[in-house]
Amino acid sequence: RACYCRTALYDVDEFPNNKRNRYRDMLYESYPEMSDFKKIQEEQEYKNLILKNIVPDPNAAQFFGEYVKPNGNYLTADEREQYINSAKVLNSIRRVWEKSFSRHANSGQKMMPKYQFFQKISALMPSVVSEYRLSFNRFNARRLQDLCDDYKDNNYSVLISGRYGNQNRTKKNRKMIEMIVLSIYGSKDKPFMRDVTKYYNEFVLGQREVFNCDTGEIFDPKDFMYQDEPITISESTVFNIINDPLNRKTVDRLRNDFHYNQQKHNADVERKAPYFSLSKISFDDRDLVRKAICTRENKITGKIDHYEAQVHAYYAFDVASGVCVGSAYSLRKDTNLVMNCMRNMFQNLRVMGLGTPYEAEVENHLMKGTELENKLRETFLEVTYCAPMNSREKRAEHLIDAKKWFGSESEIKRGMSYGRHYAKHEAYLHSREKVFDEKNNTYKNSLQAWEYDRVIAEDQAQMSAWHNEQHPRLKNKNTKEKLYPGMTRLEVLQNKQNTKCTPLNWRHLCHTWGKTTKTSIIRGKSCEVDYRQWWLSDPEVIRRFNPNNTSCIAYYIPNLENLIDEIYLYQDDRYIDKPNYLNAFQEAKAEQTDDDIAIMHKQLGWIQRAKTLVKNHNKDVILGKIGMIKSITLQDAIDEVPLLPPPEYQNYSSIEEDFYTDFEYTNAEDDYAIALSSI
């Protein structure tokens, strides 16, 4: 701050453009320690540019989700995350370079050399890696430039690893009075304003001690005096201090919880719902108004007792259409409830031929830091975590209210729900009738309790009718023009899908959200799941198992009828195969049908291929029939054989004469006659 006969500093960037550089040079000459400021500022600008241009890449997520290694294995979840992050970072670098090139080209300015650009980027990569895990560590400028050029030419495949101020006294007193009043009012016992006035006046008169619980400091009443007289205040002064708009927000944060401040003071954003379906899915839980009649065994008497219990539901709403694409019900609110909702949602999307939702909106206190967090990030491109007890943020809260209150098929209209006893509006208010018994804390149910399955069926029927209502969203509130004219909620979901949504990767969804069963391969042919034999897709699949270990885990998501249609086998978190259920055929010829014959041919064909596989493998790995004998035994046998004497010389001419003398020959004609006579 400038004062008389004192020097002052002025922000150089506030000077006009024609004087800024000259004054900056003069500043650096006078203060050399500030000469690195420009360099630091440029590095921070480049870093912000890189991080700002990092956006999700659905194509990369699809490519690496379906990529198969040369050995037939799929990428693990950790590898997919690193590769997708690497693609997003390289896309951001290329986007920043192209924008810089086009801007300089249009303005006619000299372009920064490419090697100099990558030198700046390489210096920023360690800070980028701290936020995004990458599959490469080539932060050298030259190697990073080569990687970006190669990525531009060959796209995602290049990322695959080959190896895998001052105040006067009066103002000061006024500020101190305000601080002590607000501190007293913000205490946990929540005093009234008249009590605050009493406590403060007793403090300045020396009748009460006030201290700081955190530091132990005891406040001095002399600091609240003017001209050696204590400054006392009235209740109206306390009222004005506390009800200052900013002070009111501050003390309410001390006196009340997050929910009160969220509804009373915290500002909210102005936003609009997505236009295309599956752009955002919002999840939330609720308790159905109608209770269920349940049974349990009395541990003392052994009899079956009937009791009423609250049915917990977990919904998955498509924000654009308002359709509940997934639902699950249970008497316990736990992780299984969320998992069942996810399975039901993906089965519904599969039946309707829709893709994977782009973004998921979930509760922070239920998902963050649990096993569900990793599953969500592996499934959806974007995951939004909402603060607890913040109904304004989560779209599912709004849609649950709409399902309950609005429309001709709402829960209120169908007589399956009612308002709350603490509602502000009279139309939403519902009074409860208390039961005066020994417990003195029970109330009569306005709705009759039903069986558990009937309660769920009622909610499902209402939901189906609600989906087939006309979509109520308006395009123009002044003209009352509909955004989706003539279309129901369900039709909006099916016909307005976002093109950025990728197809369902059912194998990945089963592995992430599906149920599991431990099993093993029997005789290299099949495994048993759900009391059924599932045959390997091909006999060659047996090669993928570890030596002397055919145990595996079957992942599956039951269909809408709670039946298993297909399973996927994994061993050590490594994908093995998708086996088929071939069914059994009728062995009696008199009762066989065409389906039985077709099943028999499938099984026999598989068995024949297995025999052929073993036969061909025999030729490849077996040398033939071989014998074996110990080497020392063979040498001993050779040593025991006696040596034969050398052969004696004989006169072969005399032997030949004796040969012809001993045998008497006839001519060929006589031999022929003898042969004929012997027939």
Side-chain angles (χ1 to χ4, degrees), residues 66-89:
E66 300 176 353
Y67 180 81
V68 182
K69 298 179 181 179
N71 59 0
N73 296 333
Y74 286 83
L75 295 175
T76 63
D78 186 59
E79 291 173 336
R80 285 196 304 271
E81 179 185 1
Q82 294 184 19
Y83 287 136
I84 294 174
N85 288 341
S86 300
K88 293 192 295 186
V89 171

Side-chain angles (χ1 to χ4, degrees), residues 483-510:
L483 183 62
Y484 309 103
M487 299 179 67
T488 64
R489 291 185 175 94
L490 191 59
E491 290 173 345
V492 174
L493 173 66
Q494 296 173 341
N495 301 326
K496 296 292 184 178
Q497 181 182 205
N498 196 324
T499 56
K500 293 183 180 180
C501 297
T502 59
L504 291 173
N505 189 340
W506 197 249
R507 177 189 62 81
H508 174 63
L509 294 175
C510 289

Side-chain angles (χ1 to χ4, degrees), residues 521-526 542 606:
I521 304 302
I522 304 173
R523 294 188 293 275
K525 176 198 71 171
S526 62
I542 200 67
W606 194 99

Side-chain angles (χ1 to χ4, degrees), residues 114-368:
K114 195 171 185 178
Y115 73 89
Q116 185 177 353
F117 171 78
F118 277 96
Q119 285 179 348
K120 295 180 179 294
I121 298 300
S122 62
L124 303 175
M125 290 306 295
S127 60
V128 176
V129 172
S130 63
E131 300 186 24
Y132 294 91
R133 298 175 56 207
L134 306 180
S135 62
F136 63 90
N137 55 359
R138 291 182 276 186
F139 301 148
N140 179 271
R142 185 60 184 173
R143 299 187 67 185
L144 183 61
Q145 181 178 349
D146 294 341
L147 176 62
C148 290
D149 294 340
D150 194 11
Y151 175 75
K152 181 179 180 181
D153 297 335
N154 302 310
N155 216 342
Y156 306 116
S157 58
V158 303
L159 298 175
I160 301 297
S161 174
R163 64 179 179 86
Y164 178 166
N166 292 330
Q167 293 179 331
N168 58 36
R169 181 68 177 176
T170 305
K171 291 184 178 180
K172 183 178 179 180
N173 287 341
R174 190 183 307 152
K175 185 66 176 178
M176 290 294 295
I177 293 172
E178 181 179 355
M179 293 172 60
I180 200 70
V181 167
L182 294 177
S183 299
I184 296 174
Y185 186 75
S187 57
K188 293 301 181 181
D189 54 352
K190 302 178 69 171
F192 293 97
M193 292 185 184
R194 61 176 179 269
D195 296 330
V196 176
T197 306
K198 175 184 176 182
Y199 296 156
Y200 171 81
N201 290 333
E202 290 178 353
F203 162 67
V204 297
L205 294 175
Q207 301 174 5
R208 182 182 294 270
E209 297 289 343
V210 178
F211 59 91
N212 191 322
C213 296
D214 297 330
T215 63
E217 176 188 3
I218 300 178
F219 297 101
D220 189 359
K222 294 180 181 180
D223 295 336
F224 302 87
M225 300 180 69
Y226 181 70
Q227 295 180 355
D228 298 333
E229 291 292 332
I231 306 176
T232 58
I233 57 177
S234 62
E235 188 173 341
S236 61
T237 303
V238 173
F239 179 88
N240 293 331
I241 292 175
I242 293 175
N243 286 284
D244 177 84
L246 184 57
N247 291 342
R248 184 79 250 183
K249 289 185 177 182
T250 304
V251 295
D252 278 350
R253 286 182 177 272
L254 299 174
R255 291 165 60 94
N256 300 286
D257 58 1
F258 171 81
H259 181 66
Y260 177 87
N261 288 280
Q262 185 71 9
Q263 300 295 328
K264 193 77 174 178
H265 298 298
N266 293 352
D268 57 343
V269 297
E270 185 178 357
R271 56 182 181 164
K272 57 183 179 181
Y275 176 80
F276 295 103
S277 63
L278 300 186
S279 295
K280 186 177 185 179
I281 300 294
S282 185
F283 298 86
D284 196 24
D285 62 286
R286 67 167 297 195
D287 295 339
L288 299 184
V289 178
R290 190 186 300 275
K291 293 185 177 182
I293 301 176
C294 304
T295 59
R296 61 187 173 191
E297 182 180 357
N298 193 316
K299 295 182 179 180
I300 299 177
T301 62
K303 297 182 180 180
I304 302 299
D305 295 337
H306 296 269
Y307 68 99
E308 297 181 0
Q310 204 83 49
V311 179
H312 306 293
Y314 199 81
Y315 294 147
F317 284 97
D318 173 60
V319 178
S321 63
V323 173
C324 181
V325 294
S327 60
Y329 306 88
S330 176
L331 296 178
R332 299 181 60 184
K333 190 182 297 185
D334 52 10
T335 304
N336 291 329
L337 182 63
V338 180
M339 296 289 288
N340 290 333
C341 178
M342 289 289 183
R343 295 164 188 155
N344 180 261
M345 178 186 70
F346 289 121
Q347 276 289 3
N348 289 329
L349 295 177
R350 192 184 191 191
V351 170
M352 290 184 286
L354 302 176
T356 306
Y358 190 92
E359 179 183 358
E361 185 181 61
V362 296
E363 306 94 328
N364 179 73
H365 63 291
L366 293 181
M367 305 295 183
K368 199 77 170 179

Side-chain angles (χ1 to χ4, degrees), residues 561-679:
E561 287 76 27
N562 203 25
L563 300 177
I564 302 176
D565 292 334
E566 54 189 352
I567 65 175
Y568 296 88
L569 300 181
Y570 282 79
Q571 187 181 56
D572 298 335
D573 207 28
R574 177 172 50 88
Y575 174 66
I576 300 296
D577 186 37
K578 176 188 175 182
N580 302 315
Y581 175 60
L582 301 184
N583 211 335
F585 62 88
Q586 175 58 253
E587 64 180 20
K589 299 294 189 300
E591 299 181 13
Q592 278 185 352
T593 63
D594 294 341
D595 294 338
D596 292 323
I597 297 175
I599 295 172
M600 180 182 65
H601 288 166
K602 288 182 180 179
Q603 296 185 8
L604 294 177
W606 194 99
I607 295 174
Q608 185 60 39
R609 292 198 304 273
K611 292 180 179 179
T612 304
L613 173 64
V614 176
K615 183 177 180 181
N616 295 337
H617 191 62
N618 190 355
K619 296 178 182 179
D620 296 337
V621 301
I622 303 301
L623 298 176
K625 186 176 181 180
I626 61 175
M628 293 183 296
I629 190 172
K630 292 185 178 180
S631 301
I632 187 172
T633 304
L634 178 61
Q635 187 64 36
D636 293 344
I638 295 175
D639 295 340
E640 292 177 0
V641 175
L643 297 176
L644 297 176
E648 299 180 357
Y649 177 76
Q650 296 182 1
N651 190 356
Y652 291 99
S653 60
S654 61
I655 295 176
E656 185 178 359
E657 292 176 359
D658 295 339
F659 178 80
Y660 287 107
T661 305
D662 295 339
F663 296 93
E664 184 175 335
Y665 285 90
T666 59
N667 58 21
E669 294 180 359
D670 295 337
D671 293 338
Y672 183 70
I674 293 172
L676 290 175
S677 63
S678 64
I679 298 176

